Amino acid sequence: KAGVTQTPRYLIKTRGQQVTLSCSPISGHRSVSWYQQTPGQGLQFLFEYFSETQRNKGNFPGRFSGRQFSNSRSEMNVSTLELGDSALYLCASSWGGGASEQFFGPGTRLTVL
Amino acid sequence: GIQVEQSPPDLILQEGANSTLRCNFSDSVNNLQWFHQNPWGQLINLFYIPSGTKQNGRLSATTVATERYSLLYISSSQTTDSGVYFCAGDLTYNNNDMRFGAGTRLTVKP
Protein backbone atom coordinates (compact mmCIF):
# COMPACT_ATOMS: atom_id res chain seq x y z
CA LYS A 1 0.00 0.00 0.00
CA ALA A 2 1.42 3.38 -0.99
CA GLY A 3 2.22 5.79 1.79
CA VAL A 4 1.27 9.41 2.25
CA THR A 5 2.56 11.63 -0.53
CA GLN A 6 3.12 15.37 -0.46
CA THR A 7 3.87 17.75 -3.28
CA PRO A 8 5.93 19.71 -3.87
CA ARG A 9 8.79 18.58 -1.66
CA TYR A 10 10.56 21.93 -1.72
CA LEU A 11 9.28 25.40 -2.41
CA ILE A 12 10.78 28.87 -2.39
CA LYS A 13 8.48 31.89 -2.29
CA THR A 14 8.81 35.57 -1.52
CA ARG A 15 6.98 37.59 1.10
CA GLY A 16 3.44 38.49 0.15
CA GLN A 17 2.95 35.57 -2.23
CA GLN A 18 0.58 32.71 -1.61
CA VAL A 19 1.28 28.99 -1.74
CA THR A 20 -0.70 25.76 -2.07
CA LEU A 21 0.56 22.45 -0.78
CA SER A 22 -0.95 19.07 -1.58
CA CYS A 23 -1.30 15.85 0.38
CA SER A 24 -2.58 12.48 -0.81
CA PRO A 25 -3.45 10.13 2.06
CA ILE A 26 -3.07 6.39 2.24
CA SER A 27 -5.77 4.64 0.25
CA GLY A 28 -8.86 4.16 2.39
CA HIS A 29 -7.92 6.84 4.90
CA ARG A 30 -10.47 9.61 5.24
CA SER A 31 -8.71 11.96 7.67
CA VAL A 32 -5.89 14.33 6.79
CA SER A 33 -4.17 16.49 9.38
CA TRP A 34 -1.63 19.23 8.72
CA TYR A 35 1.27 20.25 10.95
CA GLN A 36 3.93 22.95 10.83
CA GLN A 37 7.42 22.30 12.14
CA THR A 38 9.83 25.15 12.90
CA PRO A 39 13.01 25.20 15.00
CA GLY A 40 11.48 27.68 17.41
CA GLN A 41 7.96 26.33 17.87
CA GLY A 42 8.43 22.64 17.15
CA LEU A 43 5.60 20.61 15.67
CA GLN A 44 2.25 22.39 15.78
CA PHE A 45 -1.18 21.22 14.68
CA LEU A 46 -2.76 23.33 11.92
CA PHE A 47 -6.07 21.64 11.07
CA GLU A 48 -7.72 18.33 10.35
CA TYR A 49 -10.16 17.33 7.61
CA PHE A 50 -12.45 14.34 7.57
CA SER A 51 -14.86 13.59 4.73
CA GLU A 52 -14.33 17.06 3.23
CA THR A 53 -15.14 18.83 6.52
CA GLN A 54 -12.75 20.63 8.81
CA ARG A 55 -13.20 18.99 12.20
CA ASN A 56 -10.59 20.83 14.19
CA LYS A 57 -8.29 23.80 13.87
CA GLY A 58 -5.14 24.82 15.69
CA ASN A 59 -4.11 28.27 16.77
CA PHE A 60 -2.99 29.75 13.46
CA PRO A 61 -4.08 32.95 11.70
CA GLY A 62 -6.71 32.93 8.99
CA ARG A 63 -4.00 33.15 6.33
CA PHE A 64 -3.70 29.40 6.77
CA SER A 65 -6.56 27.49 5.21
CA GLY A 66 -7.24 24.10 3.78
CA ARG A 67 -9.71 21.88 2.05
CA GLN A 68 -10.32 18.26 1.32
CA PHE A 69 -11.67 16.71 -1.82
CA SER A 70 -14.04 13.79 -2.26
CA ASN A 71 -11.10 11.44 -2.90
CA SER A 72 -9.66 12.49 0.51
CA ARG A 73 -6.76 14.40 -1.03
CA SER A 74 -6.15 17.62 0.82
CA GLU A 75 -4.61 20.98 0.06
CA MET A 76 -3.48 23.70 2.39
CA ASN A 77 -3.05 27.29 1.36
CA VAL A 78 -1.06 30.07 2.95
CA SER A 79 -1.79 33.56 1.72
CA THR A 80 0.32 36.70 2.13
CA LEU A 81 3.41 34.77 3.09
CA GLU A 82 5.61 36.03 5.89
CA LEU A 83 9.22 35.16 6.65
CA GLY A 84 8.05 33.27 9.73
CA ASP A 85 6.04 30.88 7.57
CA SER A 86 9.28 29.22 6.50
CA ALA A 87 8.89 25.71 7.86
CA LEU A 88 8.49 22.04 7.16
CA TYR A 89 4.82 21.31 6.54
CA LEU A 90 3.78 17.76 7.29
CA CYS A 91 0.52 16.05 6.59
CA ALA A 92 -0.71 12.89 8.25
CA SER A 93 -3.43 10.49 7.27
CA SER A 94 -5.54 8.10 9.28
CA TRP A 95 -8.79 6.23 8.81
CA GLY A 96 -10.38 8.90 10.96
CA GLY A 97 -12.18 6.97 13.65
CA GLY A 98 -11.71 7.28 17.38
CA ALA A 99 -8.78 4.91 17.84
CA SER A 100 -6.70 6.12 14.97
CA GLU A 101 -2.98 5.88 14.24
CA GLN A 102 -1.59 8.67 12.08
CA PHE A 103 0.95 8.15 9.29
CA PHE A 104 3.02 11.04 8.02
CA GLY A 105 4.16 12.09 4.61
CA PRO A 106 7.70 13.25 3.77
CA GLY A 107 6.78 16.91 4.15
CA THR A 108 7.06 20.07 2.08
CA ARG A 109 9.91 22.38 3.01
CA LEU A 110 8.82 25.97 2.39
CA THR A 111 11.30 28.82 2.36
CA VAL A 112 10.00 32.38 2.31
CA LEU A 113 12.50 35.02 1.19
CA GLY B 1 -3.53 24.02 26.53
CA ILE B 2 -2.10 20.61 27.09
CA GLN B 3 1.63 20.39 27.81
CA VAL B 4 3.78 17.54 26.52
CA GLU B 5 7.16 17.24 28.18
CA GLN B 6 9.89 14.99 26.86
CA SER B 7 13.03 14.14 28.74
CA PRO B 8 15.89 14.25 28.39
CA PRO B 9 16.10 16.88 25.64
CA ASP B 10 19.47 15.53 24.53
CA LEU B 11 21.08 12.16 25.02
CA ILE B 12 24.50 10.96 23.93
CA LEU B 13 25.23 7.26 24.11
CA GLN B 14 27.98 4.88 23.21
CA GLU B 15 26.95 2.18 20.75
CA GLY B 16 25.56 -0.80 22.61
CA ALA B 17 24.17 1.18 25.53
CA ASN B 18 20.52 1.17 26.62
CA SER B 19 18.34 4.23 27.11
CA THR B 20 14.92 5.32 28.33
CA LEU B 21 13.07 8.29 26.91
CA ARG B 22 10.14 9.72 28.83
CA CYS B 23 7.04 11.61 27.82
CA ASN B 24 4.73 13.32 30.34
CA PHE B 25 1.33 14.83 29.53
CA SER B 26 -0.35 17.53 31.60
CA ASP B 27 -3.77 16.10 30.76
CA SER B 28 -5.27 12.96 29.29
CA VAL B 29 -4.51 12.32 25.65
CA ASN B 30 -5.74 9.80 23.13
CA ASN B 31 -3.94 7.70 20.56
CA LEU B 32 -0.45 8.19 21.95
CA GLN B 33 2.31 7.57 19.40
CA TRP B 34 6.11 7.57 19.30
CA PHE B 35 7.98 8.72 16.20
CA HIS B 36 11.55 8.89 14.97
CA GLN B 37 12.29 11.80 12.66
CA ASN B 38 14.81 10.95 9.99
CA PRO B 39 17.41 13.43 8.71
CA TRP B 40 15.13 14.38 5.81
CA GLY B 41 12.32 15.33 8.16
CA GLN B 42 9.92 12.44 7.77
CA LEU B 43 8.28 11.11 10.89
CA ILE B 44 8.60 7.36 11.10
CA ASN B 45 6.03 5.52 13.21
CA LEU B 46 7.58 3.56 16.04
CA PHE B 47 4.63 2.72 18.27
CA TYR B 48 0.93 3.39 18.49
CA ILE B 49 0.46 2.82 22.21
CA PRO B 50 -2.57 4.38 23.94
CA SER B 51 -1.90 2.07 26.89
CA GLY B 52 0.09 -0.99 27.87
CA THR B 53 3.40 -2.26 26.58
CA LYS B 54 4.61 -3.13 23.09
CA GLN B 55 7.91 -4.39 21.74
CA ASN B 56 9.45 -4.23 18.29
CA GLY B 57 12.95 -5.66 18.11
CA ARG B 58 15.31 -3.57 20.21
CA LEU B 59 12.62 -0.99 20.91
CA SER B 60 9.78 -1.20 23.36
CA ALA B 61 7.30 1.26 24.79
CA THR B 62 5.04 1.49 27.80
CA THR B 63 2.15 3.89 28.37
CA VAL B 64 0.49 4.36 31.74
CA ALA B 65 -2.52 6.39 30.69
CA THR B 66 -3.88 6.84 34.23
CA GLU B 67 -0.62 8.52 35.25
CA ARG B 68 -0.26 10.39 31.95
CA TYR B 69 3.18 9.22 30.89
CA SER B 70 4.85 7.01 28.34
CA LEU B 71 8.33 5.52 28.11
CA LEU B 72 10.36 4.47 25.08
CA TYR B 73 13.16 1.97 25.67
CA ILE B 74 16.03 1.51 23.25
CA SER B 75 18.32 -1.41 23.94
CA SER B 76 21.73 -2.15 22.43
CA SER B 77 21.69 1.18 20.63
CA GLN B 78 23.19 1.52 17.16
CA THR B 79 24.45 4.57 15.30
CA THR B 80 21.40 4.33 13.04
CA ASP B 81 19.20 5.03 16.08
CA SER B 82 20.49 8.61 16.10
CA GLY B 83 17.94 11.31 15.43
CA VAL B 84 15.04 13.01 17.15
CA TYR B 85 12.33 11.06 18.92
CA PHE B 86 8.90 12.55 19.44
CA CYS B 87 5.90 11.49 21.44
CA ALA B 88 2.48 12.86 20.60
CA GLY B 89 -1.13 12.38 21.51
CA ASP B 90 -4.50 13.51 20.21
CA LEU B 91 -6.29 16.11 22.25
CA THR B 92 -9.73 14.78 21.34
CA TYR B 93 -10.82 11.24 20.69
CA ASN B 94 -12.29 11.57 17.22
CA ASN B 95 -10.22 14.38 15.80
CA ASN B 96 -6.66 13.76 14.73
CA ASP B 97 -5.17 16.84 16.38
CA MET B 98 -1.87 15.71 17.79
CA ARG B 99 0.11 17.62 20.34
CA PHE B 100 3.83 16.95 20.18
CA GLY B 101 6.61 17.16 22.69
CA ALA B 102 9.78 19.08 21.89
CA GLY B 103 11.60 15.83 21.19
CA THR B 104 14.66 14.01 22.48
CA ARG B 105 17.73 14.32 20.29
CA LEU B 106 19.65 11.05 20.51
CA THR B 107 23.23 10.72 19.34
CA VAL B 108 24.78 7.27 19.32
CA LYS B 109 28.56 7.25 18.95
CA PRO B 110 30.47 4.31 17.50
Side-chain angles (χ1 to χ4, degrees):
Chain A
K1 191 183 267 190
V4 181
T5 58
Q6 291 187 244
T7 57
R9 294 292 310 279
Y10 302 91
L11 207 48
I12 300 175
K13 292 285 188 179
T14 56
R15 277 181 302 174
Q17 288 187 309
Q18 67 98 24
V19 67
T20 299
L21 313 181
S22 180
C23 173
S24 291
I26 292 170
S27 177
H29 284 187
R30 296 167 63 191
S31 168
V32 173
S33 300
W34 288 90
Y35 298 84
Q36 180 198 63
Q37 186 177 25
T38 60
Q41 299 297 318
L43 276 152
Q44 293 185 285
F45 169 74
L46 280 157
F47 31 66
E48 186 245 2
Y49 286 86
F50 178 80
S51 292
E52 303 178 65
T53 300
Q54 186 182 89
R55 286 200 297 193
N56 209 348
K57 190 178 192 311
N59 189 24
F60 279 81
R63 299 185 299 106
F64 292 82
S65 63
R67 59 177 175 169
Q68 187 179 33
F69 302 94
S70 58
N71 62 358
S72 294
R73 188 178 71 86
S74 177
E75 290 181 346
M76 69 162 280
N77 184 77
V78 188
S79 61
T80 320
L81 284 166
E82 301 177 359
L83 295 179
D85 297 332
S86 294
L88 179 66
Y89 290 89
L90 294 161
C91 82
S93 89
S94 71
W95 73 277
S100 207
E101 181 177 5
Q102 293 194 54
F103 296 87
F104 282 80
T108 294
R109 192 167 295 278
L110 171 65
T111 302
V112 182
L113 303 175
Chain B
I2 192 168
Q3 302 297 317
V4 184
E5 294 183 359
Q6 288 190 244
S7 60
D10 293 280
L11 187 58
I12 300 174
L13 298 174
Q14 210 62 37
E15 200 168 28
N18 302 329
S19 61
T20 301
L21 282 57
R22 186 178 179 102
C23 179
N24 290 334
F25 291 85
S26 61
D27 204 344
S28 297
V29 294
N30 304 281
N31 303 319
L32 195 147
Q33 292 185 239
W34 283 93
F35 300 93
H36 179 210
Q37 189 164 39
N38 69 20
W40 299 271
Q42 181 154 12
L43 290 170
I44 308 299
N45 290 42
L46 295 177
F47 292 101
Y48 171 73
I49 188 163
S51 63
T53 297
K54 288 186 178 180
Q55 179 153 11
N56 184 4
R58 295 181 297 104
L59 273 61
S60 64
T62 295
T63 296
V64 184
T66 53
E67 297 187 22
R68 301 197 294 267
Y69 75 88
S70 184
L71 303 172
L72 177 69
Y73 306 96
I74 304 174
S75 64
S76 304
S77 58
Q78 301 174 357
T79 56
T80 52
D81 295 331
S82 296
V84 184
Y85 290 80
F86 291 99
C87 65
D90 285 325
L91 209 56
T92 51
Y93 186 63
N94 282 320
N95 301 346
N96 298 301
D97 52 355
M98 282 197 146
R99 298 299 186 264
F100 282 80
T104 291
R105 182 172 296 278
L106 174 64
T107 303
V108 181
K109 296 188 171 182

Short mmCIF file of all heavy atoms in Angstrom, two decimals, chain A residues 18-49:
data_model
loop_
_atom_site.label_atom_id
_atom_site.label_comp_id
_atom_site.label_asym_id
_atom_site.label_seq_id
_atom_site.Cartn_x
_atom_site.Cartn_y
_atom_site.Cartn_z
N GLN A 18 1.36 33.76 -2.22
CA GLN A 18 0.58 32.71 -1.61
C GLN A 18 1.06 31.36 -2.14
O GLN A 18 1.71 31.28 -3.18
CB GLN A 18 -0.92 32.90 -1.88
CG GLN A 18 -1.33 32.74 -3.32
CD GLN A 18 -1.88 31.36 -3.62
OE1 GLN A 18 -2.37 30.67 -2.72
NE2 GLN A 18 -1.79 30.93 -4.87
N VAL A 19 0.78 30.31 -1.38
CA VAL A 19 1.28 28.99 -1.74
C VAL A 19 0.22 27.94 -1.45
O VAL A 19 -0.58 28.08 -0.52
CB VAL A 19 2.58 28.69 -0.97
CG1 VAL A 19 2.31 28.53 0.53
CG2 VAL A 19 3.28 27.46 -1.51
N THR A 20 0.20 26.90 -2.27
CA THR A 20 -0.70 25.76 -2.07
C THR A 20 0.11 24.48 -2.01
O THR A 20 0.93 24.22 -2.90
CB THR A 20 -1.73 25.67 -3.20
OG1 THR A 20 -2.52 26.87 -3.23
CG2 THR A 20 -2.66 24.48 -2.97
N LEU A 21 -0.11 23.73 -0.95
CA LEU A 21 0.56 22.45 -0.78
C LEU A 21 -0.47 21.33 -0.88
O LEU A 21 -1.62 21.50 -0.48
CB LEU A 21 1.24 22.38 0.60
CG LEU A 21 2.09 23.58 1.03
CD1 LEU A 21 2.70 23.34 2.40
CD2 LEU A 21 3.15 23.90 0.00
N SER A 22 -0.02 20.17 -1.36
CA SER A 22 -0.95 19.07 -1.58
C SER A 22 -0.54 17.84 -0.80
O SER A 22 0.66 17.58 -0.60
CB SER A 22 -1.01 18.75 -3.08
OG SER A 22 -1.90 17.67 -3.33
N CYS A 23 -1.54 17.07 -0.39
CA CYS A 23 -1.30 15.85 0.38
C CYS A 23 -2.27 14.77 -0.09
O CYS A 23 -3.49 15.00 -0.10
CB CYS A 23 -1.50 16.12 1.86
SG CYS A 23 -1.43 14.65 2.91
N SER A 24 -1.73 13.61 -0.45
CA SER A 24 -2.58 12.48 -0.81
C SER A 24 -2.44 11.41 0.27
O SER A 24 -1.33 10.92 0.51
CB SER A 24 -2.16 11.90 -2.17
OG SER A 24 -2.47 12.80 -3.20
N PRO A 25 -3.53 11.08 0.94
CA PRO A 25 -3.45 10.13 2.06
C PRO A 25 -3.32 8.69 1.57
O PRO A 25 -3.44 8.40 0.38
CB PRO A 25 -4.78 10.34 2.78
CG PRO A 25 -5.72 10.76 1.70
CD PRO A 25 -4.91 11.57 0.74
N ILE A 26 -3.09 7.82 2.52
CA ILE A 26 -3.07 6.39 2.24
C ILE A 26 -4.46 5.97 1.77
O ILE A 26 -5.48 6.47 2.28
CB ILE A 26 -2.67 5.61 3.52
CG1 ILE A 26 -1.21 5.90 3.86
CG2 ILE A 26 -2.90 4.12 3.37
CD1 ILE A 26 -0.77 5.40 5.22
N SER A 27 -4.51 5.08 0.79
CA SER A 27 -5.77 4.64 0.25
C SER A 27 -6.68 4.10 1.35
O SER A 27 -6.26 3.27 2.18
CB SER A 27 -5.51 3.54 -0.80
OG SER A 27 -6.72 3.05 -1.31
N GLY A 28 -7.92 4.59 1.37
CA GLY A 28 -8.86 4.16 2.39
C GLY A 28 -8.91 5.07 3.61
O GLY A 28 -9.87 5.01 4.39
N HIS A 29 -7.91 5.89 3.79
CA HIS A 29 -7.92 6.84 4.90
C HIS A 29 -8.78 8.04 4.54
O HIS A 29 -8.69 8.58 3.43
CB HIS A 29 -6.50 7.29 5.25
CG HIS A 29 -5.73 6.26 5.99
ND1 HIS A 29 -4.48 6.52 6.50
CD2 HIS A 29 -6.00 4.97 6.30
CE1 HIS A 29 -4.02 5.44 7.11
NE2 HIS A 29 -4.94 4.48 7.00
N ARG A 30 -9.56 8.50 5.52
CA ARG A 30 -10.47 9.61 5.24
C ARG A 30 -10.09 10.89 5.99
O ARG A 30 -10.70 11.93 5.79
CB ARG A 30 -11.90 9.20 5.60
CG ARG A 30 -12.41 8.06 4.73
CD ARG A 30 -13.68 7.46 5.29
NE ARG A 30 -14.77 8.43 5.31
CZ ARG A 30 -15.93 8.21 5.94
NH1 ARG A 30 -16.11 7.11 6.61
NH2 ARG A 30 -16.89 9.12 5.90
N SER A 31 -9.11 10.78 6.89
CA SER A 31 -8.71 11.96 7.67
C SER A 31 -7.33 12.42 7.24
O SER A 31 -6.41 11.60 7.06
CB SER A 31 -8.69 11.60 9.15
OG SER A 31 -8.05 12.61 9.90
N VAL A 32 -7.19 13.72 7.07
CA VAL A 32 -5.89 14.33 6.79
C VAL A 32 -5.68 15.47 7.78
O VAL A 32 -6.53 16.34 7.93
CB VAL A 32 -5.80 14.87 5.35
CG1 VAL A 32 -4.49 15.64 5.16
CG2 VAL A 32 -5.90 13.73 4.34
N SER A 33 -4.54 15.42 8.46
CA SER A 33 -4.17 16.49 9.38
C SER A 33 -2.91 17.17 8.86
O SER A 33 -2.06 16.52 8.24
CB SER A 33 -3.89 15.93 10.79
OG SER A 33 -5.02 15.28 11.31
N TRP A 34 -2.80 18.45 9.15
CA TRP A 34 -1.63 19.23 8.72
C TRP A 34 -0.90 19.76 9.94
O TRP A 34 -1.54 20.18 10.93
CB TRP A 34 -2.07 20.40 7.84
CG TRP A 34 -2.53 20.00 6.48
CD1 TRP A 34 -3.81 19.69 6.10
CD2 TRP A 34 -1.73 19.91 5.30
NE1 TRP A 34 -3.84 19.38 4.77
CE2 TRP A 34 -2.58 19.52 4.24
CE3 TRP A 34 -0.37 20.11 5.03
CZ2 TRP A 34 -2.11 19.32 2.94
CZ3 TRP A 34 0.09 19.91 3.73
CH2 TRP A 34 -0.78 19.54 2.71
N TYR A 35 0.43 19.78 9.86
CA TYR A 35 1.27 20.25 10.95
C TYR A 35 2.38 21.13 10.39
O TYR A 35 2.84 20.92 9.26
CB TYR A 35 1.90 19.07 11.70
CG TYR A 35 0.90 18.15 12.35
CD1 TYR A 35 0.28 17.15 11.63
CD2 TYR A 35 0.56 18.33 13.69
CE1 TYR A 35 -0.65 16.31 12.22
CE2 TYR A 35 -0.37 17.49 14.30
CZ TYR A 35 -0.96 16.48 13.55
OH TYR A 35 -1.89 15.66 14.15
N GLN A 36 2.80 22.09 11.19
CA GLN A 36 3.93 22.95 10.83
C GLN A 36 5.06 22.67 11.80
O GLN A 36 4.84 22.59 13.02
CB GLN A 36 3.51 24.42 10.94
CG GLN A 36 4.62 25.39 10.58
CD GLN A 36 4.36 26.80 11.10
OE1 GLN A 36 4.28 27.04 12.30
NE2 GLN A 36 4.22 27.75 10.18
N GLN A 37 6.26 22.50 11.28
CA GLN A 37 7.42 22.30 12.14
C GLN A 37 8.45 23.40 11.90
O GLN A 37 8.93 23.59 10.77
CB GLN A 37 8.07 20.94 11.91
CG GLN A 37 9.21 20.65 12.89
CD GLN A 37 9.82 19.27 12.73
OE1 GLN A 37 9.77 18.67 11.66
NE2 GLN A 37 10.37 18.72 13.80
N THR A 38 8.79 24.14 12.94
CA THR A 38 9.83 25.15 12.90
C THR A 38 10.81 24.91 14.04
O THR A 38 10.43 24.31 15.06
CB THR A 38 9.25 26.57 13.03
OG1 THR A 38 8.55 26.65 14.29
CG2 THR A 38 8.30 26.89 11.90
N PRO A 39 12.04 25.39 13.90
CA PRO A 39 13.01 25.20 15.00
C PRO A 39 12.55 25.85 16.30
O PRO A 39 12.80 25.32 17.38
CB PRO A 39 14.27 25.85 14.46
CG PRO A 39 14.12 25.81 12.98
CD PRO A 39 12.66 25.97 12.72
N GLY A 40 11.86 26.96 16.20
CA GLY A 40 11.48 27.68 17.41
C GLY A 40 10.23 27.15 18.09
O GLY A 40 10.16 27.10 19.32
N GLN A 41 9.26 26.73 17.31
CA GLN A 41 7.96 26.33 17.87
C GLN A 41 7.73 24.82 17.84
O GLN A 41 6.75 24.33 18.40
CB GLN A 41 6.82 27.01 17.11
CG GLN A 41 6.84 28.52 17.18
CD GLN A 41 6.67 29.01 18.61
OE1 GLN A 41 5.86 28.51 19.37
NE2 GLN A 41 7.47 30.01 18.98
N GLY A 42 8.61 24.08 17.21
CA GLY A 42 8.43 22.64 17.15
C GLY A 42 7.31 22.26 16.20
O GLY A 42 7.01 22.97 15.25
N LEU A 43 6.69 21.13 16.50
CA LEU A 43 5.60 20.61 15.67
C LEU A 43 4.27 21.12 16.21
O LEU A 43 3.93 20.85 17.36
CB LEU A 43 5.61 19.08 15.69
CG LEU A 43 6.55 18.41 14.72
CD1 LEU A 43 6.99 17.06 15.24
CD2 LEU A 43 5.85 18.24 13.37
N GLN A 44 3.52 21.82 15.35
CA GLN A 44 2.25 22.39 15.78
C GLN A 44 1.13 21.96 14.84
O GLN A 44 1.29 21.98 13.61
CB GLN A 44 2.34 23.92 15.81
CG GLN A 44 3.29 24.45 16.87
CD GLN A 44 3.23 25.96 16.93
OE1 GLN A 44 3.76 26.65 16.08
NE2 GLN A 44 2.56 26.49 17.95
N PHE A 45 0.00 21.65 15.42
CA PHE A 45 -1.18 21.22 14.68
C PHE A 45 -1.83 22.42 13.99
O PHE A 45 -2.08 23.46 14.62
CB PHE A 45 -2.16 20.57 15.65
CG PHE A 45 -3.53 20.30 15.08
CD1 PHE A 45 -3.73 19.28 14.18
CD2 PHE A 45 -4.61 21.07 15.46
CE1 PHE A 45 -4.99 19.02 13.66
CE2 PHE A 45 -5.87 20.83 14.95
CZ PHE A 45 -6.06 19.81 14.05
N LEU A 46 -2.09 22.28 12.69
CA LEU A 46 -2.76 23.33 11.92
C LEU A 46 -4.26 23.09 11.84
O LEU A 46 -5.06 23.91 12.28
CB LEU A 46 -2.17 23.40 10.50
CG LEU A 46 -0.85 24.14 10.37
CD1 LEU A 46 -0.11 23.69 9.12
CD2 LEU A 46 -1.09 25.65 10.32
N PHE A 47 -4.66 22.01 11.18
CA PHE A 47 -6.07 21.64 11.07
C PHE A 47 -6.20 20.21 10.61
O PHE A 47 -5.23 19.59 10.15
CB PHE A 47 -6.87 22.57 10.14
CG PHE A 47 -6.09 23.17 9.01
CD1 PHE A 47 -5.57 22.37 7.99
CD2 PHE A 47 -5.87 24.53 8.94
CE1 PHE A 47 -4.86 22.93 6.95
CE2 PHE A 47 -5.16 25.10 7.89
CZ PHE A 47 -4.66 24.29 6.90
N GLU A 48 -7.43 19.70 10.74
CA GLU A 48 -7.72 18.33 10.35
C GLU A 48 -9.00 18.29 9.53
O GLU A 48 -9.97 19.00 9.85
CB GLU A 48 -7.87 17.41 11.57
CG GLU A 48 -8.03 15.93 11.20
CD GLU A 48 -9.38 15.34 11.57
OE1 GLU A 48 -10.24 16.07 12.09
OE2 GLU A 48 -9.57 14.12 11.33
N TYR A 49 -8.99 17.50 8.46
CA TYR A 49 -10.16 17.33 7.61
C TYR A 49 -10.57 15.87 7.60
O TYR A 49 -9.73 14.97 7.56
CB TYR A 49 -9.86 17.80 6.18
CG TYR A 49 -9.81 19.28 6.08
CD1 TYR A 49 -8.64 19.99 6.34
CD2 TYR A 49 -10.96 20.02 5.76
CE1 TYR A 49 -8.60 21.36 6.28
CE2 TYR A 49 -10.92 21.40 5.69
CZ TYR A 49 -9.74 22.06 5.96
OH TYR A 49 -9.70 23.43 5.90
#
